[in-house]
Amino acid sequence: MSIDLNTPKGIVPNHIQESWKRCYSNGLDPTTIDQDHILGEYELTQYYDKYEELLYYSSSILENVHDSIRGTEFLLLIATPEGYIIDTVGEPSFIRHADNVALRKGANWLEESKGTNAIGTAIVEKSSVLVHGSQHFWENNHFLTCAAAPILDSKGQLLGILNLSSYQQNYHPLTLGLVKRTAHSIEQALLLAHTQKQPKNFTKDLDFIYNHHPAPLITVNKEGTITRVNTAATRTIGYSEQAAIGKPISNILVEVNPLVPEQKFLLNNQVFTPHILTSDYRDQSYMLLRGETKQQNAALTNRYHFTDIISQDSKMNEMIAIAKKAAIIDINLLISGETGTGKELFAQSIHGASFRSNQPFIAINCSAIPESLLESELFGYEKGAFTGAKSQGQAGKFEAANGGTLFLDEIGDMPLTAQAALLRVLQERCITRIGGTTPRPIDVRIIAATHKDLQKEIEAGRFRADLYFRLNGFTLKLPPLRNRTDLLLLAEHILSQLPFKKENIKLTEDAQTFITEYEWAGNFRQLQNVLQQAAFLANESRITKSLLLSLCPSSVEPIEKEQTKSQKIMSLREHEIALIQQVLEQTNGNISRAAKQLDIGRNTLYRKMKEYNLML
């Protein structure tokens, strides 16, 4: 069927005819649609950042749909409201054919780019659409059958588009219904995530925890009145649930203030720890009192808690506050920061404040284990799996951490093969030991940490984007020591905790100035090491600038911070202009070669040259 704007109604759906009209009015030709509008890796990463939440909550749902229709020739994808494809999953045989018409990540499928198509038309219509075979405006797309549905937020705003494509001969009347239900599932996942962030809905969020957590749980409001208890708590406090609700907590706890966050107290042989659920005093402020037996408390494997983090720095305090909130929401976390900024300190503190705190905290440094051994360390192995294996086999870190928290330090150094295995475990929630065939269910919260920029690692092909979004339920970015405003507080704390007796040790005024101005490349560990050595060597218990300078790696005077910062600052726009100018010079103004070298489309390069007023 050729495109005919005069086709009688009922022969072609109304939304298809209206789309054809828009295409013609935009000057499109069914035989010469531009395929060049493809995002480069850098631009695509920016869209990953912008739609991070959509990608995170849709990824597991897409995988589930993929599993249910695996073996069929299809491609399932997510597109942004701007028409860019940012996630795909499907069968390799069809993906290769779809790539011929740029149905892949980074491609733009707005109507003005690709004519009538399910993605672009669904964006215009803001409703589910089916575009089948020759209904596509561009003739090269006639081999496709595509169904798309919008993904909307609670206010009806467009968040993205879900699309399912296949060969037109694979058309099935239930396809559009599947796409609509899947889009609705993504909307519900996003809505639930949003709801969990709203203080007024915290009582609903606790339903699952109260029904499944074995430890005593008591929720109180800001007046100290009990609003909820679980069965284990009724045995501890000696009241039924009906009798306890509405009763002041002070009737049960005498001479103890239970509403001090993170301050443990004892009640009938149970150690309780208060956790703030929300501090929104416009409505209610709820605090959860979580109990654990003395035996459980003694068995904790993490050494650090939030009370161990010393800080008077606003940025660091902000990270601590966010980490405390994230601790009680059972999602994976990613902690980024330079070496020595306290990533494991935060990880252990989060575990200690979570509902998994009476379960194991297991840490593994992904950069310290040889690639050949990393998977056996993570997943374990069966007896005889390889030469040198223990005769009885061995459990891996996932099994050791079951029910608790697994801390994957330096995740950015994990080999790609291990990344693929880890992604599979996160998706399937079970592990199979090396040499084994039996899947073992696991319930583990992942906290990952890295000193690397994972976005750059993704661009360089050294880190999987899909694993990044699985791990990145939320990111904590710890500030480097040189940017903190409380260096002297930290220095005094270090000196007060010396492993050897050194009374009245003091920092001279010039030593204090040195500490605040020096660029501490090793962060807290370097500051601690230098101060411990200085305290041991100091004459008359006085640490001077000259002594500190002699112990630092370089004898060069520290550069004034403001001067250093001013030298480092360069805007993203300036970086981009400089890079484009450099590549244009190297290619002698050849737009095609320059665009290829920059990994962007020619149209994108022309647009940026116009935007930045760059001339050939």
Side-chain angles (χ1 to χ4, degrees), residues 390-429:
K390 292 181 180 179
S391 58
Q392 70 276 22
Q394 181 168 299
K397 300 297 186 185
F398 267 95
E399 288 182 73
N402 197 25
T405 302
L406 180 61
F407 177 53
L408 300 176
D409 198 10
E410 301 303 351
I411 188 73
D413 293 311
M414 179 177 281
L416 284 169
T417 53
Q419 290 179 35
L422 175 60
L423 178 65
R424 186 172 63 252
V425 169
L426 296 180
Q427 290 171 343
E428 299 175 0
R429 291 289 179 180

Short mmCIF file of all heavy atoms in Angstrom, two decimals, residues 390-429:
data_model
loop_
_atom_site.label_atom_id
_atom_site.label_comp_id
_atom_site.label_asym_id
_atom_site.label_seq_id
_atom_site.Cartn_x
_atom_site.Cartn_y
_atom_site.Cartn_z
N LYS A 390 38.96 -26.74 46.75
CA LYS A 390 38.77 -27.51 47.98
C LYS A 390 37.86 -28.70 47.70
O LYS A 390 36.93 -28.61 46.91
CB LYS A 390 38.17 -26.63 49.07
CG LYS A 390 39.10 -25.53 49.56
CD LYS A 390 38.44 -24.72 50.66
CE LYS A 390 39.37 -23.63 51.16
NZ LYS A 390 38.75 -22.81 52.23
N SER A 391 38.14 -29.80 48.39
CA SER A 391 37.41 -31.04 48.11
C SER A 391 35.92 -30.91 48.40
O SER A 391 35.10 -31.58 47.78
CB SER A 391 38.00 -32.18 48.95
OG SER A 391 37.93 -31.86 50.34
N GLN A 392 35.56 -30.06 49.34
CA GLN A 392 34.15 -29.89 49.67
C GLN A 392 33.53 -28.69 48.97
O GLN A 392 32.35 -28.38 49.20
CB GLN A 392 33.97 -29.73 51.20
CG GLN A 392 34.48 -28.42 51.77
CD GLN A 392 35.96 -28.43 52.08
OE1 GLN A 392 36.71 -29.22 51.51
NE2 GLN A 392 36.39 -27.54 52.95
N GLY A 393 34.29 -28.01 48.11
CA GLY A 393 33.78 -26.81 47.48
C GLY A 393 33.82 -25.63 48.46
O GLY A 393 34.27 -25.76 49.60
N GLN A 394 33.35 -24.49 48.00
CA GLN A 394 33.39 -23.30 48.87
C GLN A 394 32.31 -22.30 48.48
O GLN A 394 32.07 -22.07 47.29
CB GLN A 394 34.75 -22.63 48.79
CG GLN A 394 34.88 -21.39 49.68
CD GLN A 394 36.30 -20.91 49.80
OE1 GLN A 394 37.18 -21.63 50.27
NE2 GLN A 394 36.55 -19.69 49.35
N ALA A 395 31.67 -21.73 49.49
CA ALA A 395 30.67 -20.69 49.25
C ALA A 395 31.37 -19.39 48.86
O ALA A 395 32.49 -19.11 49.31
CB ALA A 395 29.81 -20.48 50.48
N GLY A 396 30.72 -18.60 48.03
CA GLY A 396 31.27 -17.31 47.63
C GLY A 396 30.78 -16.19 48.52
O GLY A 396 30.03 -16.40 49.49
N LYS A 397 31.17 -14.98 48.19
CA LYS A 397 30.81 -13.82 49.01
C LYS A 397 29.31 -13.56 49.00
O LYS A 397 28.75 -13.08 49.99
CB LYS A 397 31.56 -12.57 48.50
CG LYS A 397 33.08 -12.69 48.54
CD LYS A 397 33.59 -12.85 49.95
CE LYS A 397 35.13 -12.82 49.96
NZ LYS A 397 35.67 -13.11 51.31
N PHE A 398 28.64 -13.86 47.86
CA PHE A 398 27.20 -13.65 47.81
C PHE A 398 26.49 -14.53 48.83
O PHE A 398 25.59 -14.07 49.54
CB PHE A 398 26.66 -13.93 46.40
CG PHE A 398 26.59 -12.71 45.53
CD1 PHE A 398 27.62 -12.41 44.66
CD2 PHE A 398 25.50 -11.86 45.59
CE1 PHE A 398 27.58 -11.28 43.86
CE2 PHE A 398 25.44 -10.73 44.79
CZ PHE A 398 26.47 -10.44 43.93
N GLU A 399 26.89 -15.78 48.90
CA GLU A 399 26.27 -16.67 49.88
C GLU A 399 26.62 -16.25 51.30
O GLU A 399 25.77 -16.32 52.20
CB GLU A 399 26.71 -18.11 49.63
CG GLU A 399 26.11 -18.74 48.38
CD GLU A 399 26.53 -20.18 48.22
OE1 GLU A 399 26.03 -21.03 48.97
OE2 GLU A 399 27.38 -20.45 47.33
N ALA A 400 27.86 -15.81 51.52
CA ALA A 400 28.26 -15.37 52.86
C ALA A 400 27.48 -14.15 53.31
O ALA A 400 27.21 -13.97 54.49
CB ALA A 400 29.77 -15.06 52.87
N ALA A 401 27.10 -13.31 52.35
CA ALA A 401 26.38 -12.07 52.68
C ALA A 401 24.87 -12.24 52.63
O ALA A 401 24.14 -11.27 52.82
CB ALA A 401 26.79 -10.95 51.71
N ASN A 402 24.38 -13.45 52.38
CA ASN A 402 22.95 -13.67 52.19
C ASN A 402 22.13 -13.12 53.37
O ASN A 402 22.41 -13.42 54.53
CB ASN A 402 22.66 -15.16 52.03
CG ASN A 402 21.29 -15.42 51.42
OD1 ASN A 402 20.75 -14.56 50.73
ND2 ASN A 402 20.73 -16.58 51.71
N GLY A 403 21.15 -12.30 53.03
CA GLY A 403 20.34 -11.63 54.05
C GLY A 403 20.90 -10.29 54.48
O GLY A 403 20.20 -9.49 55.10
N GLY A 404 22.17 -10.04 54.15
CA GLY A 404 22.83 -8.81 54.58
C GLY A 404 23.27 -7.94 53.43
O GLY A 404 22.55 -7.78 52.43
N THR A 405 24.47 -7.38 53.55
CA THR A 405 24.99 -6.41 52.59
C THR A 405 26.31 -6.89 52.02
O THR A 405 27.18 -7.35 52.77
CB THR A 405 25.20 -5.04 53.26
OG1 THR A 405 23.96 -4.57 53.80
CG2 THR A 405 25.72 -4.02 52.26
N LEU A 406 26.45 -6.79 50.70
CA LEU A 406 27.72 -7.10 50.03
C LEU A 406 28.31 -5.79 49.53
O LEU A 406 27.69 -5.09 48.73
CB LEU A 406 27.50 -8.07 48.88
CG LEU A 406 28.75 -8.48 48.09
CD1 LEU A 406 29.76 -9.19 48.99
CD2 LEU A 406 28.38 -9.39 46.92
N PHE A 407 29.51 -5.47 50.01
CA PHE A 407 30.18 -4.22 49.62
C PHE A 407 31.21 -4.55 48.55
O PHE A 407 32.20 -5.24 48.81
CB PHE A 407 30.85 -3.59 50.84
CG PHE A 407 31.63 -2.34 50.52
CD1 PHE A 407 31.06 -1.29 49.83
CD2 PHE A 407 32.96 -2.21 50.94
CE1 PHE A 407 31.77 -0.14 49.53
CE2 PHE A 407 33.67 -1.06 50.66
CZ PHE A 407 33.08 -0.03 49.96
N LEU A 408 30.98 -4.07 47.34
CA LEU A 408 31.88 -4.29 46.22
C LEU A 408 32.74 -3.04 46.04
O LEU A 408 32.34 -2.08 45.38
CB LEU A 408 31.09 -4.59 44.95
CG LEU A 408 30.19 -5.84 44.98
CD1 LEU A 408 29.39 -5.94 43.69
CD2 LEU A 408 31.03 -7.08 45.20
N ASP A 409 33.91 -3.06 46.64
CA ASP A 409 34.81 -1.91 46.57
C ASP A 409 35.57 -1.93 45.25
O ASP A 409 35.89 -3.00 44.72
CB ASP A 409 35.78 -1.94 47.75
CG ASP A 409 36.44 -0.60 48.00
OD1 ASP A 409 36.00 0.40 47.38
OD2 ASP A 409 37.37 -0.52 48.81
N GLU A 410 35.84 -0.74 44.73
CA GLU A 410 36.54 -0.57 43.45
C GLU A 410 35.86 -1.37 42.34
O GLU A 410 36.49 -2.10 41.57
CB GLU A 410 38.02 -0.97 43.59
CG GLU A 410 38.79 -0.20 44.63
CD GLU A 410 38.77 1.32 44.41
OE1 GLU A 410 38.30 1.77 43.34
OE2 GLU A 410 39.23 2.05 45.29
N ILE A 411 34.54 -1.20 42.23
CA ILE A 411 33.76 -1.90 41.22
C ILE A 411 34.20 -1.51 39.82
O ILE A 411 34.05 -2.27 38.86
CB ILE A 411 32.25 -1.60 41.42
CG1 ILE A 411 31.38 -2.47 40.51
CG2 ILE A 411 31.95 -0.14 41.18
CD1 ILE A 411 31.30 -3.90 40.93
N GLY A 412 34.77 -0.31 39.68
CA GLY A 412 35.22 0.16 38.37
C GLY A 412 36.37 -0.65 37.80
O GLY A 412 36.66 -0.57 36.61
N ASP A 413 37.04 -1.44 38.65
CA ASP A 413 38.16 -2.27 38.20
C ASP A 413 37.74 -3.70 37.92
O ASP A 413 38.58 -4.56 37.63
CB ASP A 413 39.28 -2.27 39.25
CG ASP A 413 39.92 -0.90 39.40
OD1 ASP A 413 40.27 -0.31 38.38
OD2 ASP A 413 40.05 -0.43 40.54
N MET A 414 36.45 -3.98 38.02
CA MET A 414 35.98 -5.36 37.77
C MET A 414 36.07 -5.68 36.28
O MET A 414 35.62 -4.90 35.45
CB MET A 414 34.54 -5.51 38.26
CG MET A 414 33.95 -6.89 38.01
SD MET A 414 32.27 -7.09 38.67
CE MET A 414 32.65 -7.36 40.41
N PRO A 415 36.63 -6.84 35.91
CA PRO A 415 36.72 -7.22 34.50
C PRO A 415 35.33 -7.37 33.86
O PRO A 415 34.36 -7.68 34.55
CB PRO A 415 37.45 -8.58 34.54
CG PRO A 415 38.10 -8.63 35.89
CD PRO A 415 37.25 -7.82 36.80
N LEU A 416 35.26 -7.18 32.55
CA LEU A 416 33.98 -7.23 31.85
C LEU A 416 33.29 -8.58 31.98
O LEU A 416 32.06 -8.66 32.07
CB LEU A 416 34.18 -6.88 30.37
CG LEU A 416 34.40 -5.38 30.07
CD1 LEU A 416 34.85 -5.19 28.63
CD2 LEU A 416 33.13 -4.58 30.34
N THR A 417 34.08 -9.67 31.98
CA THR A 417 33.46 -11.00 32.11
C THR A 417 32.77 -11.13 33.46
O THR A 417 31.66 -11.67 33.56
CB THR A 417 34.52 -12.09 31.95
OG1 THR A 417 35.61 -11.84 32.86
CG2 THR A 417 35.05 -12.15 30.53
N ALA A 418 33.41 -10.65 34.51
CA ALA A 418 32.80 -10.71 35.84
C ALA A 418 31.61 -9.76 35.93
O ALA A 418 30.63 -10.04 36.64
CB ALA A 418 33.84 -10.37 36.91
N GLN A 419 31.69 -8.62 35.22
CA GLN A 419 30.55 -7.69 35.20
C GLN A 419 29.31 -8.37 34.62
O GLN A 419 28.20 -8.20 35.14
CB GLN A 419 30.89 -6.45 34.36
CG GLN A 419 31.91 -5.53 34.99
CD GLN A 419 32.21 -4.34 34.10
OE1 GLN A 419 31.34 -3.83 33.40
NE2 GLN A 419 33.45 -3.89 34.12
N ALA A 420 29.50 -9.14 33.55
CA ALA A 420 28.36 -9.83 32.93
C ALA A 420 27.75 -10.84 33.90
O ALA A 420 26.53 -10.96 34.01
CB ALA A 420 28.82 -10.53 31.65
N ALA A 421 28.62 -11.57 34.63
CA ALA A 421 28.13 -12.56 35.60
C ALA A 421 27.40 -11.86 36.74
O ALA A 421 26.36 -12.33 37.22
CB ALA A 421 29.29 -13.40 36.12
N LEU A 422 27.94 -10.74 37.20
CA LEU A 422 27.31 -9.99 38.29
C LEU A 422 25.95 -9.46 37.86
O LEU A 422 24.97 -9.51 38.63
CB LEU A 422 28.22 -8.83 38.71
CG LEU A 422 27.66 -7.87 39.76
CD1 LEU A 422 27.32 -8.61 41.05
CD2 LEU A 422 28.65 -6.74 40.04
N LEU A 423 25.86 -8.94 36.64
CA LEU A 423 24.58 -8.43 36.14
C LEU A 423 23.53 -9.53 36.13
O LEU A 423 22.37 -9.31 36.52
CB LEU A 423 24.76 -7.88 34.72
CG LEU A 423 23.50 -7.36 34.04
CD1 LEU A 423 22.94 -6.15 34.77
CD2 LEU A 423 23.79 -7.00 32.58
N ARG A 424 23.93 -10.73 35.71
CA ARG A 424 22.99 -11.85 35.68
C ARG A 424 22.48 -12.18 37.08
O ARG A 424 21.29 -12.44 37.28
CB ARG A 424 23.67 -13.08 35.06
CG ARG A 424 22.72 -14.25 34.84
CD ARG A 424 23.39 -15.36 34.06
NE ARG A 424 24.53 -15.93 34.77
CZ ARG A 424 25.80 -15.74 34.45
NH1 ARG A 424 26.10 -15.00 33.40
NH2 ARG A 424 26.77 -16.29 35.14
N VAL A 425 23.36 -12.14 38.07
CA VAL A 425 22.96 -12.42 39.45
C VAL A 425 21.99 -11.36 39.96
O VAL A 425 20.99 -11.66 40.61
CB VAL A 425 24.20 -12.51 40.36
CG1 VAL A 425 23.79 -12.54 41.83
CG2 VAL A 425 25.03 -13.74 40.03
N LEU A 426 22.27 -10.10 39.66
CA LEU A 426 21.40 -9.01 40.10
C LEU A 426 20.02 -9.11 39.46
O LEU A 426 19.00 -8.74 40.07
CB LEU A 426 22.03 -7.66 39.78
CG LEU A 426 23.34 -7.34 40.50
CD1 LEU A 426 23.85 -5.96 40.09
CD2 LEU A 426 23.18 -7.41 42.00
N GLN A 427 19.96 -9.61 38.23
CA GLN A 427 18.68 -9.75 37.54
C GLN A 427 17.89 -10.94 38.05
O GLN A 427 16.68 -10.86 38.26
CB GLN A 427 18.93 -9.90 36.03
CG GLN A 427 19.43 -8.62 35.37
CD GLN A 427 19.87 -8.86 33.93
OE1 GLN A 427 20.09 -9.99 33.52
NE2 GLN A 427 20.00 -7.80 33.16
N GLU A 428 18.59 -12.08 38.27
CA GLU A 428 17.90 -13.32 38.59
C GLU A 428 17.78 -13.57 40.09
O GLU A 428 17.04 -14.45 40.52
CB GLU A 428 18.63 -14.49 37.92
CG GLU A 428 18.65 -14.38 36.40
CD GLU A 428 19.48 -15.47 35.75
OE1 GLU A 428 20.04 -16.31 36.48
OE2 GLU A 428 19.57 -15.48 34.51
N ARG A 429 18.54 -12.83 40.90
CA ARG A 429 18.50 -12.99 42.35
C ARG A 429 18.86 -14.41 42.78
O ARG A 429 18.30 -14.94 43.75
CB ARG A 429 17.13 -12.59 42.91
CG ARG A 429 16.84 -11.11 42.81
CD ARG A 429 17.69 -10.36 43.78
NE ARG A 429 17.48 -8.92 43.71
CZ ARG A 429 18.13 -8.04 44.48
NH1 ARG A 429 19.02 -8.47 45.34
NH2 ARG A 429 17.90 -6.75 44.36
#
